[in-house]
Amino acid sequence: MNRTTVLRRKLVYLMILVVMLIPLYLLGQPSGGGGEGGGRLAQLRGKYDIAESDLGEISPASETMKLASLGLRGVAASLLWKKSHDYRVMHEWDRLKATLNNIALLQPHFDKVWEFQAHNLAYNVSTEFDDYRQRYEMVREGTEFLTKGVNQNRKAPRLVWYTGWFYGQKMGMSDEKQQFRRLFSEDEQLHEELLKENIAVDSPEARGPTNKPDNWLVGRLWLNRGYDLVESGVQIRRQTPLNFYETGPKWRLKHAEAIESEGILDERAQNAWQLASADWKAFGNRSVPTTAAFTIKLGQLDELIRQRADKIETLEEVAGDAYLAARAKAIEKLGPVQRDALSTPEEQRTKSQQSIAEKAEDSISVNYDEVARSAQQSKQLAALQLVEDIKDLDERILKTEGYRKQINYPYWDTLALAEQEERTVRARRLIYEAEKANADAELEKAIGLYEEAFEVWAEIFDDYPILVIDDTAQDLYESLRRYRIAIDSDEMPDDFPLKAFVELMGEYGQVDQDMYEQVRQTQKDLAAKRQAELEEEERRLEAEAAEEEAAKKKAAKEAAMEEKATDDSEGEMKADANESPEPEQADSETDQADKAEVKEEATETESEASDAEVSGEEETPAEDGSADPPAEPDA
């Protein structure tokens, strides 16, 4: 090969390179001012909002690192990730921190880097310090690192969510939560930085009862910022929508729990629970995407069930006998006890039959397709449409129930309703004061407060049985344990208000809501029966006492009458003995009195006769015509 051939090849290669630069220039030409124009790649970046300026703030240091890698940014990042893992295993936190900072410069739009580094600072590096103030500084540095990541990733809702989660979970649920919450509320420098990030820490939405920023409420503001970002059209990545949306309302609930645990047990706590309940209700009315082709609203389960019942009722009217036959066929597959409960009229069912009938209704599986096919020809189309609607509602109900169970939606909803009542706040205040009195060795005062609180908690559990599965139930059980130590007795009387709760917690270590309701109802029935027996026994004793009292009064009255009669008799005898004359003289006086009386009667008779003659009156004859003979005077 001569020199001419070599030169010719070099020229050909040079021409090919020049030709290849033309399409590269056309494809990679940067855009002009305002993001307009530019090459094809610039236009695509603008179309899909993936330009550097669209993703977030442009960091000069990051751009320099990218250029310095000479196109080997991916290789460099991979090597640094491996080193970070090694440093983490060896607990070399300073080197780990520096390595992750370099990765962030190479991959500023990879949000996992920011999450990893923040977690490293708050959870790993902070534990290396003994003083909680130094640990707080590491947590604070982790939150600041997340804030930088948010600024460089404006379209990363997951990163915004993680920042809000960090403020709540790390500062509000760690072992040093009391100290961290206090330090955060007093950290004015951090508050100023948050204000620059448009987090309104000076608004009532971020301030707690002490009128200082609260970590739970500040975290909620970050989460709301993420919600606004999603509603603007940005998609959620690397996270389920259900978990993404539940955290903000839950931070309200956690805030209310936190202030109560710190001794805020008045109308401020009630107000916090009312706001939390409103947030949870709003979350229940939010459309949450699912793995199916539709969205659901967690708070509208009852509405879906009502709509399904209406559809079934309409199908029954349209299909007529076909529906009744299908239902009867489904009932035949049930057990005899269930069939007997369903055949018994509702007003005649016992409590047990009512429960069995309700469960049996849920287990009845009617073949709606068969019902539609068996309907009259003219009504089959309407029946088929109703069947499709019922199937759609069944799927929505199934999804809604499943999602509600995932986050325990009914529990938090009920908790917020129960906690905003004055009696619940009072029950917590009584327990708080009882624990304080117990710690101060004021046992008599503590026992009284415990017993008063237990009566209120029994009422609350009766109205909201779902609360027996709450963390509060565990704390209450510990209070019950301390109460039994204070009274020096492990036995609870039958009328103890939380007897069912104590028995179930002692046997299983936790309480199932349905089991508690069943046991509590059984105890109520037994207590009512025992109360009725006691009342009957009391009435019997009262009747016996009344009869005995009446007998005593009667005996006393008879004795008084006998005594009086005896006294009167003795008095008459004494009077007769004092006033009676000699026997012969008494007889003479008696004869003289009799003669005087006879003489007086004769005089009266003569006077009447003379009066009749003077008046000229005659004696009226008797009905038989005879006249009565004139009365003769007594001798």
Side-chain angles (χ1 to χ4, degrees):
M1 184 180 297
N2 54 29
R3 293 181 178 180
T4 305
T5 304
V6 174
L7 180 61
R8 187 182 298 116
R9 286 184 176 180
K10 289 181 179 180
L11 291 174
V12 172
Y13 293 154
L14 181 60
M15 290 178 63
I16 292 173
L17 290 175
V18 171
V19 172
M20 290 179 64
L21 287 174
I22 295 174
L24 290 176
Y25 172 76
L26 295 175
L27 289 173
Q29 183 180 6
S31 60
E36 298 179 356
R40 179 61 179 166
L41 294 178
Q43 293 175 5
L44 290 174
R45 286 194 296 267
K47 179 180 179 180
Y48 295 105
D49 296 331
I50 57 175
E52 190 78 18
S53 58
D54 294 328
L55 295 175
E57 294 180 355
I58 298 176
S59 171
S62 178
E63 296 302 313
T64 304
M65 284 282 291
K66 292 177 187 177
L67 293 173
S69 64
L70 300 175
L72 299 175
R73 183 177 62 169
V75 177
S78 298
L79 292 174
L80 289 173
W81 273 111
K82 184 179 182 304
K83 280 194 172 185
S84 69
H85 175 72
D86 295 338
Y87 292 147
R88 181 182 179 185
V89 172
M90 294 183 293
H91 290 189
E92 296 184 9
W93 306 119
D94 291 339
R95 292 184 178 183
L96 173 61
K97 179 180 176 182
T99 303
L100 291 175
N101 285 334
N102 289 331
I103 296 174
L105 291 174
L106 285 171
Q107 296 178 311
H109 306 306
F110 183 35
D111 50 4
K112 190 66 177 176
V113 178
W114 304 99
E115 294 180 15
F116 192 90
Q117 171 69 325
H119 182 89
N120 164 55
L121 291 169
Y123 288 87
N124 297 326
V125 179
S126 65
T127 58
E128 297 298 309
F129 299 94
D130 295 330
D131 193 337
Y132 69 86
R133 298 177 186 84
Q134 293 175 310
R135 292 197 291 270
Y136 172 77
E137 287 299 322
M138 288 297 100
V139 174
R140 182 174 180 271
E141 189 170 343
T143 61
E144 291 175 346
F145 191 80
L146 280 174
T147 303
K148 293 179 183 178
V150 169
N151 290 332
Q152 294 198 16
N153 296 271
R154 294 197 187 101
K155 297 184 179 180
R158 157 76 186 185
L159 194 57
V160 180
W161 175 91
Y162 193 74
T163 306
W165 180 87
F166 213 83
Y167 274 94
Q169 203 273 347
K170 180 56 185 175
M171 293 188 180
M173 298 183 70
S174 60
D175 294 338
E176 311 91 341
K177 58 186 178 182
Q178 292 183 354
Q179 293 85 357
F180 282 2
R181 279 173 52 79
R182 178 177 56 80
L183 290 173
F184 173 80
S185 66
E186 299 171 354
D187 194 344
E188 297 182 358
Q189 182 180 354
L190 179 58
H191 300 162
E192 292 177 1
E193 294 176 359
L194 289 171
L195 285 172
K196 294 177 182 178
E197 297 297 328
N198 295 323
I199 302 298
V201 294
D202 56 347
S203 68
E205 289 293 312
R207 293 183 176 271
T210 59
N211 201 31
K212 294 181 178 180
D214 186 277
N215 69 292
W216 290 109
L217 298 181
V218 171
R220 173 180 169 272
L221 293 181
W222 274 105
L223 293 164
N224 288 342
R225 179 173 170 178
Y227 301 156
D228 295 339
L229 186 61
V230 173
E231 290 175 359
S232 68
V234 180
Q235 293 184 351
I236 304 172
R237 295 184 298 110
R238 298 193 302 111
Q239 191 173 12
T240 62
L242 181 64
N243 179 251
F244 180 79
Y245 284 120
E246 73 152 329
T247 313
K250 187 173 286 186
W251 267 204
R252 274 277 200 197
L253 298 166
K254 292 295 184 180
H255 162 70
E257 287 183 342
I259 64 174
E260 283 189 332
S261 66
E262 294 167 353
I264 306 297
L265 296 165
D266 50 27
E267 63 278 358
R268 292 175 293 177
Q270 283 184 267
N271 181 62
W273 280 110
Q274 290 169 0
L275 294 173
S277 179
D279 265 22
W280 197 253
K281 293 289 185 185
F283 167 55
N285 291 324
R286 180 189 288 275
S287 294
V288 178
T290 66
T291 54
F294 52 78
T295 61
I296 61 172
K297 294 183 178 180
L298 300 179
Q300 293 191 356
L301 178 61
D302 293 338
E303 176 63 19
L304 291 175
I305 294 174
R306 186 194 64 78
Q307 291 179 11
R308 182 180 183 275
D310 291 343
K311 295 292 183 182
I312 292 175
E313 185 177 351
T314 306
L315 178 63
E316 182 179 358
E317 295 175 358
V318 172
D321 295 338
Y323 177 84
L324 296 177
R327 177 178 170 81
K329 185 177 179 180
I331 292 177
E332 289 178 359
K333 298 179 181 179
L334 301 176
V337 176
Q338 293 174 311
R339 292 200 302 270
D340 179 65
L342 289 173
S343 61
T344 304
E346 291 187 14
E347 62 276 5
Q348 298 180 8
R349 292 174 184 169
T350 62
K351 291 184 178 180
S352 177
Q353 286 181 320
Q354 288 177 0
S355 177
I356 295 172
E358 290 175 0
K359 294 180 179 178
E361 285 288 351
D362 296 335
S363 63
I364 293 175
S365 179
V366 177
N367 190 332
Y368 296 113
D369 291 324
E370 182 180 343
V371 171
R373 290 193 299 268
S374 302
Q376 297 179 7
Q377 189 70 27
S378 60
K379 298 181 178 180
Q380 278 190 0
L381 183 60
L384 287 170
Q385 183 60 50
L386 287 169
V387 170
E388 290 299 321
D389 293 342
I390 292 172
K391 289 182 178 179
D392 179 68
L393 288 169
D394 284 340
E395 189 174 0
R396 290 176 182 272
I397 290 172
L398 184 64
K399 282 288 183 185
T400 304
E401 288 178 339
Y403 276 51
R404 283 164 63 97
K405 288 179 181 178
Q406 284 184 37
I407 62 172
N408 209 356
Y409 179 87
Y411 163 73
W412 292 107
D413 187 30
T414 307
L415 177 67
L417 292 175
E419 292 286 355
Q420 62 184 281
E421 293 189 14
E422 189 277 333
R423 63 174 176 175
T424 311
V425 176
R426 181 164 61 90
R428 291 191 179 278
R429 183 170 60 250
L430 289 169
I431 289 291
Y432 183 85
E433 294 174 353
E435 295 289 356
K436 188 175 182 301
N438 192 21
D440 295 339
E442 299 177 2
L443 294 185
E444 186 175 352
K445 178 181 178 181
I447 291 172
L449 291 169
Y450 276 133
E451 293 176 347
E452 186 178 355
F454 295 154
E455 291 180 1
V456 181
W457 274 116
E459 296 176 3
I460 295 170
F461 284 165
D462 288 345
D463 293 338
Y464 303 99
I466 197 172
L467 296 186
V468 296
I469 66 174
D470 180 21
D471 292 340
T472 303
Q474 296 288 342
D475 296 337
L476 183 61
Y477 187 69
E478 291 299 317
S479 297
L480 282 161
R481 184 181 62 82
R482 286 187 283 272
Y483 166 74
R484 285 184 288 187
I485 293 175
I487 64 174
D488 194 20
S489 174
D490 289 334
E491 297 296 329
M492 294 295 182
D494 293 336
D495 59 348
F496 186 70
L498 289 174
K499 185 175 179 61
F501 176 77
V502 173
E503 291 178 351
L504 292 174
M505 287 290 289
E507 184 174 357
Y508 301 103
Q510 59 183 2
V511 181
D512 179 75
Q513 172 192 349
D514 297 332
M515 184 184 296
Y516 177 81
E517 288 187 75
Q518 182 178 358
V519 173
R520 181 65 173 159
Q521 187 60 46
T522 301
Q523 285 193 346
K524 280 187 174 181
D525 294 341
L526 292 175
K529 182 179 178 181
R530 179 57 180 164
Q531 182 65 25
E533 293 176 353
L534 292 175
E535 291 177 356
E536 181 64 27
E537 180 69 14
E538 186 177 355
R539 285 193 294 269
R540 186 182 65 79
L541 293 175
E542 289 178 354
E544 291 179 356
E547 291 177 359
E548 184 178 353
E549 184 67 20
K552 289 181 179 179
K553 289 182 178 179
K554 183 177 180 181
K557 185 177 181 181
E558 290 177 352
M561 293 177 64
E562 289 178 359
E563 183 178 358
K564 183 178 180 182
T566 303
D567 294 342
D568 293 344
S569 175
E570 291 178 353
E572 290 176 357
M573 291 176 64
K574 290 180 179 179
D576 291 343
N578 294 330
E579 297 177 0
S580 59
E582 292 297 327
E584 294 180 357
Q585 184 179 356
D587 290 341
S588 175
E589 291 177 353
T590 302
D591 292 341
Q592 292 178 0
D594 290 340
K595 290 178 180 180
E597 184 178 356
V598 170
K599 183 177 180 180
E600 182 179 356
E601 288 178 356
T603 305
E604 289 178 356
T605 302
E606 291 176 357
S607 175
E608 290 175 359
S610 62
D611 291 339
E613 291 177 358
V614 171
S615 60
E617 293 179 355
E618 296 181 355
E619 294 291 335
T620 304
E623 292 182 359
D624 56 358
S626 63
D628 292 334
E632 295 181 359
D634 294 334

